[in-house]
Amino acid sequence: MATAKNLTENHLTCVICSEVFTDPATLQCHHTFCKSCLLKYTYTQPEAVQAGSIPCPSCRKLTNVTNPDSPVEEWVSQLKPSHVIQGLMDDFGPDTKAVEENLCSVCTKQGKTTPATSWCSVCDVVYCEGCLQLHNMMPVLCDHEVAHLSDHTKTKAKRRFMCQVHRDKPIELFCKDCKRAICTICCSIKHRACKDVDTIESTTPLVKEQLTNKIEQLRINMAATNNNITRRKSTIQDVKSNSQDVKDQVMKTRETVMRAILRKEKQLLDAIDKASGEQLHELQADIKSQEIELQMYQQQYEFTANAVTSNCEMDMYAVYESMGETSTDNRDTDTRPAAGRVIFTHDLDKLSKAVDELQLGEVEVVHDVSDLESSPVLHHTIDCKEDGDVKDSSVRDVTVLTVDGIKVVVVADYNNKRLKTYYTSNFKCFHNQLLLSSEPWQIAKLSESQIAVSVRDSQEIVTVNVTPGPVLLSTIKTRKKYWALACLSPSQLAAGTWGQSHSVDILDMAGRILRSINTGVIGTPDYIHVTRNNNLLVSEAAVKSLVCVTSEGDAVFTYTPTGVRALTCPRGVTTTSTGDILLVDKYSRKVIQLTESGQFVRDVLTQQDGLKCPRGVCLDADGLLYVTSDRYVKVFKFCKR
């Protein structure tokens, strides 16, 4: 039958040998394997054997053995299959091939292959029509309950529950101490000392209830595991994508260095051309002068030679008298200095050392802040004080964008009424700023190139395009004063009101109020963050609390700890890729990690990490943590301890 085949392939197959179970053994984690396969695998795990345990090949959980001093073979041989597996093996295992193929059990023993049509619940045998008639004609068998094989539910329900040890005895009792279904003989021999033994009839409803609960729990576990698998597959793609991105960055850095080397080469070649050109120009000018002088000598030579050969005394004396006025220096020796030579001077040892010490960058694994085995390490610090600032900078919020492959840090400088951007391109650091009408407070990330900023005193929300310099897109006038601001969707903003009955307004991108939300103890939100589930995290220093509500205003949790963990001044809040919450507590100079449901996990950063008046917080795509610290932004990476 197809059902039997599916059961055999999906539930009765050993994952080690990929064959139908041979002498199956079920571990405490409920995974089942062939005993021979499990024994071979156990031998490959010496640490587990030394600990006196059998490791599960599937989930790695350990099954403790009753007698660790005995040989490993005995450990495995004492394992039994679960009742579910054993029941399936009895019904659909290799020994039930005739039943699977609906062949008459009686005819099969006679070497015939007659199709079976019925099953006797007492004999637990299938019969063809002819053998069934003989069965029903026998007085001791005629009153047996017989079901047609087409009625699978009835045949399954009526199957006799027989003892695996005493195979001719039905299961009638259940030992609660040992959690085993037993027959009366087992009870009298092996379970005499057990205190809680009950009948199968009275135990079955309880077992069924527990199994039903187990089914529900397994369904939840399967859904959670399936989600984990989906996330892991997505993470694999992220890792591959990240690897290629980092490789591209390395190659881009190499190209930048090569361009710098080529510029150096060109400077040297240009210097050679310039020096050689100047020398060539001097030599060409000297040659021209020498050629003119040669022409003059040739003319004098011809004039003198003609006077001598003419035998005319008047011509000879005229030439002779002119010789006293003409230089008669010996020109065989060139007294001009020799032309200079262009040479290339270089220190090969120094150059080789410089090349060896050349660093294109560093490759390191940055872990997620949610990894509890990781600890923060200061990566770098951004000083937000600029020359044109009238006052000392006071950074209230920070966010990170990736614009055309460039990581851009955007900060809100409250004291100087400016929005500032910082980024690095081609090994050079750049910063830009945008003057606003009043003090900015919180930054809402709309996209990788656009943000919205709350400007409370002007009753404005400004939208800015980051190019990577900040460029004003629009100014949204609002009816109320808003400090806290977050992006709820591409078309909606969540804004914290000032002294209103409902503390959060949901706005459209024109500033119109769509609805208002009451956030419990929060009256005037200081910071708002939208989680991956589209819930709102709202903090307020005055009530020393963090509240989580849905986008419709339904309460999720309120975090107001007391004692040593009481909040002093909760400010900025963000979430990790796994949903954990990071909350800034200003006066205690901490960044606190909570679970997605608002349970305390740990102090991620403390005053020992150098925080001063922390307010804003965010994470970038690489897992780096950015925290404002007065006029600075401190950037932390997380490494394994």
Side-chain angles (χ1 to χ4, degrees):
M1 292 182 290
T3 303
K5 183 179 180 181
N6 291 339
L7 281 169
T8 301
E9 292 179 352
N10 297 329
H11 301 285
L12 301 180
T13 301
C14 175
V15 296
I16 299 178
C17 64
S18 300
E19 300 292 340
V20 178
F21 289 130
T22 302
D23 196 7
T26 301
L27 299 176
Q28 291 175 356
C29 56
H30 305 296
H31 291 135
T32 303
F33 310 91
C34 300
K35 286 185 178 178
S36 58
C37 296
L38 187 59
L39 180 62
K40 292 177 182 177
Y41 176 77
T42 304
Y43 278 133
T44 66
Q45 306 294 316
E47 293 181 359
V49 173
Q50 189 175 1
S53 303
I54 301 175
C56 175
S58 295
C59 67
R60 304 295 188 268
K61 289 184 178 179
L62 299 178
T63 295
N64 296 324
V65 298
T66 55
N67 188 8
D69 297 329
S70 61
V72 178
E73 292 84 351
E74 290 187 16
W75 297 0
V76 177
S77 64
Q78 292 175 357
L79 295 174
K80 302 295 182 183
S82 67
H83 285 293
V84 174
I85 293 296
Q86 188 60 59
L88 292 173
M89 289 292 291
D90 292 342
D91 285 349
F92 304 103
D95 296 335
T96 60
K97 184 175 181 181
V99 178
E100 283 191 26
E101 296 177 355
N102 289 340
L103 300 180
C104 175
S105 300
V106 178
C107 294
T108 300
K109 292 180 180 179
Q110 298 174 0
K112 302 177 183 179
T113 56
T114 309
T117 58
S118 304
W119 170 73
C120 176
S121 62
V122 180
C123 300
D124 195 16
V125 173
V126 291
Y127 297 102
C128 62
E129 290 293 344
C131 292
L132 179 63
Q133 291 180 3
L134 294 175
H135 171 277
N136 293 339
M137 291 172 60
M138 301 180 67
V140 295
L141 305 178
C142 62
D143 59 346
H144 288 185
E145 185 173 355
V146 177
H148 199 274
L149 285 179
S150 60
D151 190 352
H152 301 297
T153 303
K154 188 173 182 180
T155 57
K156 183 66 177 177
K158 292 296 182 180
R159 186 173 64 86
R160 298 178 71 187
F161 192 8
M162 307 300 292
C163 179
Q164 297 298 316
V165 179
H166 311 94
R167 294 187 174 273
D168 59 338
K169 295 295 181 180
I171 295 292
E172 298 177 348
L173 305 171
F174 184 81
C175 177
K176 295 182 180 179
D177 293 343
C178 302
K179 293 185 178 180
R180 294 188 67 87
I182 57 177
C183 68
T184 54
I185 297 178
C186 288
C187 182
S188 60
I189 297 176
K190 294 184 178 181
H191 298 267
R192 286 180 297 177
C194 297
K195 298 180 179 179
D196 196 355
V197 178
D198 205 345
T199 63
I200 282 292
E201 288 78 7
S202 60
T203 308
T204 297
L206 178 62
V207 170
K208 187 173 183 179
E209 179 183 356
Q210 292 181 354
L211 290 178
T212 302
N213 295 336
K214 181 69 174 178
I215 289 171
E216 179 61 23
Q217 184 59 50
L218 289 173
R219 185 191 65 78
I220 295 173
N221 292 347
M222 287 189 296
T225 303
N226 188 56
N227 291 335
N228 289 338
I229 292 172
T230 302
R231 282 196 293 268
R232 290 292 183 272
K233 289 181 178 179
S234 177
T235 302
I236 288 174
Q237 296 303 317
D238 291 342
V239 170
K240 290 180 178 179
S241 177
N242 172 253
S243 174
Q244 188 58 51
D245 289 344
V246 174
K247 288 179 180 179
D248 292 342
Q249 292 174 22
V250 171
M251 290 186 286
K252 185 177 180 180
T253 303
R254 183 257 300 163
E255 291 171 358
T256 303
V257 173
M258 289 302 299
R259 285 196 296 270
I261 294 175
L262 291 175
R263 283 197 301 271
K264 294 285 186 182
E265 179 190 50
K266 187 176 185 302
Q267 290 173 0
L268 292 173
L269 296 178
D270 289 346
I272 294 171
D273 289 341
K274 181 181 179 182
S276 300
E278 290 175 352
Q279 289 181 315
L280 292 174
H281 179 72
E282 290 180 4
L283 290 171
Q284 292 292 346
D286 191 44
I287 291 173
K288 187 67 176 177
S289 175
Q290 294 287 328
E291 288 176 344
I292 294 172
E293 194 171 350
L294 176 61
Q295 186 177 7
M296 182 186 69
Y297 289 147
Q298 288 175 342
Q299 290 176 354
Q300 290 180 356
Y301 172 81
E302 292 175 359
F303 184 66
T304 304
N306 289 334
V308 172
T309 56
S310 66
N311 293 321
C312 177
E313 293 178 348
M314 185 179 65
D315 290 343
M316 285 191 297
Y317 276 97
V319 172
Y320 180 75
E321 291 172 357
S322 67
M323 286 176 56
E325 300 172 3
T326 308
S327 174
T328 57
D329 294 341
N330 188 352
R331 295 289 177 172
D332 289 342
T333 303
D334 189 356
T335 60
R336 294 177 181 273
R341 295 183 62 81
V342 177
I343 64 171
F344 174 46
T345 304
H346 58 278
D347 188 334
L348 283 179
D349 291 338
K350 185 177 180 180
L351 181 61
S352 177
K353 184 178 179 181
V355 172
D356 290 340
E357 294 179 351
L358 175 65
Q359 294 290 334
L360 295 181
E362 294 183 358
V363 174
E364 58 184 337
V365 178
V366 177
H367 293 269
D368 193 274
V369 63
S370 298
D371 186 346
L372 299 183
E373 296 182 359
S374 66
S375 56
V377 177
L378 183 63
H379 188 265
H380 66 279
T381 300
I382 302 172
D383 188 351
C384 301
K385 174 67 175 176
E386 304 300 339
D387 293 337
D389 290 346
V390 178
K391 301 179 180 179
D392 287 338
S393 296
S394 179
V395 182
R396 299 305 170 94
D397 199 17
V398 59
T399 192
V400 181
L401 310 176
T402 302
V403 182
D404 297 329
I406 300 174
K407 187 180 293 186
V408 184
V409 179
V410 186
V411 301
D413 185 346
Y414 184 84
N415 286 354
N416 291 289
K417 304 178 183 179
R418 282 175 166 84
L419 197 68
K420 299 177 178 178
T421 61
Y422 298 86
Y423 61 96
T424 300
S425 179
N426 295 328
F427 300 101
K428 294 182 179 180
C429 296
F430 299 89
H431 62 86
N432 303 94
Q433 51 188 310
L434 176 66
L435 181 63
L436 303 174
S437 61
S438 187
E439 295 86 353
W441 186 262
Q442 189 170 6
I443 303 170
K445 183 177 178 180
L446 304 179
S447 69
E448 284 300 331
S449 61
Q450 289 188 5
I451 58 174
V453 184
S454 58
V455 187
R456 185 188 73 95
D457 289 343
S458 300
Q459 291 187 209
E460 294 175 352
I461 296 175
V462 297
T463 60
V464 177
N465 194 31
V466 180
T467 64
V471 178
L472 182 65
L473 285 179
S474 65
T475 300
I476 304 170
K477 289 292 184 179
T478 59
R479 290 168 47 195
K480 302 177 183 179
K481 293 182 177 182
Y482 297 114
W483 268 8
L485 186 69
C487 179
L488 186 60
S489 72
S491 60
Q492 294 182 357
L493 297 172
T497 61
W498 177 261
Q500 304 289 323
S501 58
H502 289 76
S503 59
V504 175
D505 287 340
I506 306 302
L507 313 175
D508 63 14
M509 296 309 292
R512 292 185 291 265
I513 300 176
L514 302 177
R515 63 183 182 277
S516 297
I517 296 174
N518 191 319
T519 53
V521 298
I522 303 292
T524 303
D526 290 315
Y527 288 84
I528 297 177
H529 178 75
V530 179
T531 72
R532 62 181 182 178
N533 298 324
N534 232 34
N535 292 335
L536 303 181
L537 292 170
V538 187
S539 69
E540 184 183 358
V543 295
K544 300 178 180 180
S545 298
L546 176 73
V547 171
C548 181
V549 296
T550 68
S551 58
E552 299 299 326
D554 297 326
V556 178
F557 70 81
T558 297
Y559 182 72
T560 311
T562 58
V564 294
R565 300 214 174 277
L567 299 175
T568 61
C569 183
R571 290 297 196 180
V573 59
T574 190
T575 51
T576 70
S577 59
T578 59
D580 283 358
I581 300 166
L582 300 179
L583 174 65
V584 173
D585 193 29
K586 178 183 173 184
Y587 294 147
S588 66
R589 301 182 185 181
K590 291 181 179 180
V591 174
I592 302 165
Q593 181 178 351
L594 309 175
T595 65
E596 196 168 12
S597 59
Q599 302 299 312
F600 178 83
V601 177
R602 62 169 175 165
D603 292 328
V604 175
L605 297 176
T606 64
Q607 59 182 349
Q608 280 73 34
D609 294 297
L611 298 183
K612 182 180 179 181
C613 295
R615 290 185 175 92
V617 62
C618 76
L619 288 162
D620 69 11
D622 294 326
L624 298 181
L625 177 64
Y626 296 72
V627 185
T628 67
S629 181
D630 205 5
R631 63 183 261 189
Y632 301 96
V633 173
K634 291 185 176 291
V635 185
F636 296 87
K637 63 183 178 182
F638 288 84
C639 303
K640 289 286 189 180
R641 298 188 180 112

